Amino acid sequence: MLAGCAIGPDYVRPGIDTPAVFKEAGDWKSASPQMPASDDWWKAFGDPVLDALQARVEISNQNLRAAEARYRQAQALADGARASWFPTINATAGATRSATAAATATAGSAPPKNSFNLGATASWEADVWGRIARNVESADARLEASEADLAAARLSAQAALAQSYFQLRAADRQKQFLDAAVVAYARSLQLTQNRYAAGVAGKADVAQAESQLRSARAAALDASLSRSQYEHAIAVLVGQAPAGFAIEIVDASLPVAQVPVVLPSTLLERRPDIAAAERRVAAANSAIGAAQAARFPVLGLSASAGFRRSDLADLLTVPSRYWSLGPSLAAAIFDAGAKKAVVGQAAASWEESVATYRQTVLVAFQEVEDNLAAARLLEEAATEQAAAVAAAAEAETIATNQYRAGTVSYLNVVTAQATHLAARRTANDLAARRLVAAVLLAKNAGGGVGP
């Protein structure tokens, strides 16, 4: 009943200009099968190794553990705020021995006196102006924001793991391409050396073949470095030291990127960072009411009861009893504007939280637009690149046969081989970028998305 008299503005969610559709979606149709409408969004990629790693993130990731601890802190603060609804009861017990100089001077050697007491005190604040109610509202909203922060930290860790994992697999594919190229270039070098020995090829052909072979070996070592770094990043994400962690190399192509269908309304409902920002607006709104209520008198009720006696043997007797009960009203007469300043601070904090909420929504829309564009355009680029790989492979075969027949120089072979390898590496890079865009789009949409 008293909470109904709470001072301060009632919470209204800040308005957001939500577009009906995303600009970059166009006539984009998501791939089949659709990404499942569940929190295990990464399972759409169909990779059991990734599934196992994601399970370890939930248990061992240290950032997640820190976020979970912050959530428990917010839960304790909310419980503490709610405890203000109830009386506070304290027990007291004491024993003193005392004498006064005045008594000693008038009565000679007056003996010291003993005093024993045992009692209890209770106090309770009537929430007439709703200060406690607003504090409870604010604490509950901050608890919900902390819960959303935990979900955001979990989603961020899952997305980071998926990105690092797919980039590691892309590095594996690059290494396979380069290892195959090293074998092919070694054969080309041997062929060129044999032709040079037979006097049908020049020294320059041998030098070009050797240079191409060594460049491929260097690129293979660089791919190995990239893979090691991605593996180390994954180890940290699953809460393990890199020295004791390894992912087996798999000779398989990258999975097909699954792009979810995202609607602006769904985005606002599912993204945990948006939910956290909105809950902080609610908390700041309640804090204004609590600050305003603190300017009014505080009505309290206090009571005490117990026993007080000079002889310990007679402490728990009827004549030793005492009690008191009464209300109190306390108000600040002059505080030089301190409470008014607190209200102003709370209002400014609310305005800041509203701006932060709206900016979070705008950034969310931008991230989705970015990755929708990436998913759509990278798919088109991958189609073109696949044709480029096929054409480069044919050109390499033709150039090699022509060189064997002696109709072209070895420079033609080198150029064709380099073009084919570059085309394959670009195609692999596009596949990895499409996967990363799909992962980021799933993260941007709040994780568990569907058609």
Side-chain angles (χ1 to χ4, degrees):
M1 181 177 62
L2 291 175
C5 303
I7 290 176
D10 292 329
Y11 177 64
V12 178
R13 179 179 297 181
I16 296 293
D17 184 13
T18 304
V21 294
F22 286 105
K23 170 186 174 182
E24 295 294 344
D27 57 355
W28 173 261
K29 301 297 183 183
S30 63
S32 180
Q34 299 287 352
M35 193 166 288
S38 72
D39 290 334
D40 298 339
W41 52 268
W42 60 86
K43 290 187 177 179
F45 298 105
D47 193 314
V49 177
L50 178 60
D51 294 345
L53 290 171
Q54 293 287 8
R56 295 176 65 179
V57 167
E58 183 70 25
I59 298 172
S60 303
N61 184 271
Q62 299 304 310
N63 288 330
L64 267 184
R65 289 189 174 187
E68 193 274 335
R70 287 192 293 271
Y71 170 73
R72 286 188 283 109
Q73 293 174 35
Q75 195 169 42
L77 290 173
D79 292 341
R82 200 169 288 108
S84 299
W85 288 113
F86 302 94
T88 300
I89 301 175
N90 298 307
T92 61
T96 60
R97 182 175 177 82
S98 62
T100 63
T104 303
T106 56
S109 57
K113 296 180 179 181
N114 297 326
S115 177
F116 302 93
N117 69 83
L118 178 65
T121 62
S123 61
W124 176 70
E125 179 184 340
D127 194 23
V128 178
W129 316 111
R131 183 184 66 83
I132 296 176
R134 294 302 190 190
N135 281 332
V136 171
E137 286 179 3
S138 180
D140 286 344
R142 293 187 184 281
L143 173 60
E144 292 168 348
S146 182
E147 184 178 14
D149 286 338
L150 175 58
R154 181 182 295 109
L155 180 58
S156 179
Q158 292 167 347
L161 173 61
Q163 290 180 74
S164 296
Y165 178 77
F166 288 134
Q167 288 168 329
L168 178 141
R169 289 305 185 206
D172 283 345
R173 292 291 290 171
Q174 293 280 25
K175 182 69 162 53
Q176 291 165 12
F177 294 156
L178 290 165
D179 287 344
V182 166
V183 173
Y185 294 169
R187 289 198 299 266
S188 295
L189 175 60
Q190 184 63 49
L191 171 64
T192 307
Q193 289 174 335
N194 292 340
R195 291 173 61 85
Y196 174 72
V200 294
K203 184 65 175 178
D205 290 350
V206 176
Q208 286 178 337
E210 184 176 2
S211 174
Q212 188 177 39
L213 173 61
R214 292 189 180 277
S215 295
R217 286 174 177 170
L221 291 172
D222 185 61
S224 296
L225 171 61
S226 296
R227 187 193 195 278
S228 297
Q229 292 174 336
Y230 288 130
E231 190 176 61
H232 301 163
I234 293 171
V236 173
L237 286 167
V238 299
Q240 186 172 339
F245 179 83
I247 297 177
E248 184 179 355
I249 297 175
V250 177
D251 185 8
S253 60
L254 294 175
V256 177
Q258 302 295 328
V259 179
V261 175
V262 186
L263 296 176
S265 58
T266 303
L267 182 70
L268 292 179
E269 292 170 2
R270 289 202 55 88
R271 274 191 57 144
D273 58 337
I274 293 178
E278 186 273 333
R279 287 291 79 200
R280 289 189 169 90
V281 175
N285 185 83
S286 298
I288 294 175
Q292 291 176 343
R295 302 178 66 181
F296 293 85
V298 177
L299 176 62
L301 182 66
S302 61
S304 63
F307 299 89
R308 186 181 296 115
R309 198 71 173 183
S310 59
D311 296 324
L312 182 60
D314 298 329
L315 180 62
L316 301 177
T317 59
V318 174
S320 302
R321 292 184 302 177
Y322 71 90
W323 62 271
S324 66
L325 175 65
S328 63
L329 192 65
I333 303 301
F334 177 76
D335 63 2
K339 288 185 171 59
K340 182 179 179 181
V342 172
V343 174
Q345 178 186 7
S349 179
W350 174 82
E351 293 176 1
E352 177 188 6
S353 65
V354 170
T356 300
Y357 168 61
R358 288 175 173 159
Q359 180 67 16
T360 302
V361 173
L362 288 175
V363 170
F365 287 151
Q366 177 196 351
E367 290 173 344
V368 172
E369 295 281 13
D370 287 347
N371 288 290
L372 279 172
R376 176 171 55 83
L377 296 174
L378 287 174
E379 184 190 35
E380 296 175 8
T383 301
E384 294 293 333
Q385 190 61 34
V389 170
E394 183 179 5
E396 180 183 356
T397 301
I398 293 173
T400 302
N401 292 336
Q402 288 177 336
Y403 178 68
R404 290 178 184 272
T407 58
V408 297
S409 69
Y410 189 71
L411 179 60
N412 296 66
V413 177
V414 170
T415 302
Q417 288 177 333
T419 301
H420 185 204
L421 177 59
R424 296 182 72 190
R425 296 182 68 182
T426 300
N428 184 69
D429 181 62
L430 286 172
R433 290 173 63 190
R434 289 181 65 196
L435 285 169
V436 169
V439 168
L440 290 176
L441 191 53
K443 176 188 175 185
N444 298 155
V449 297

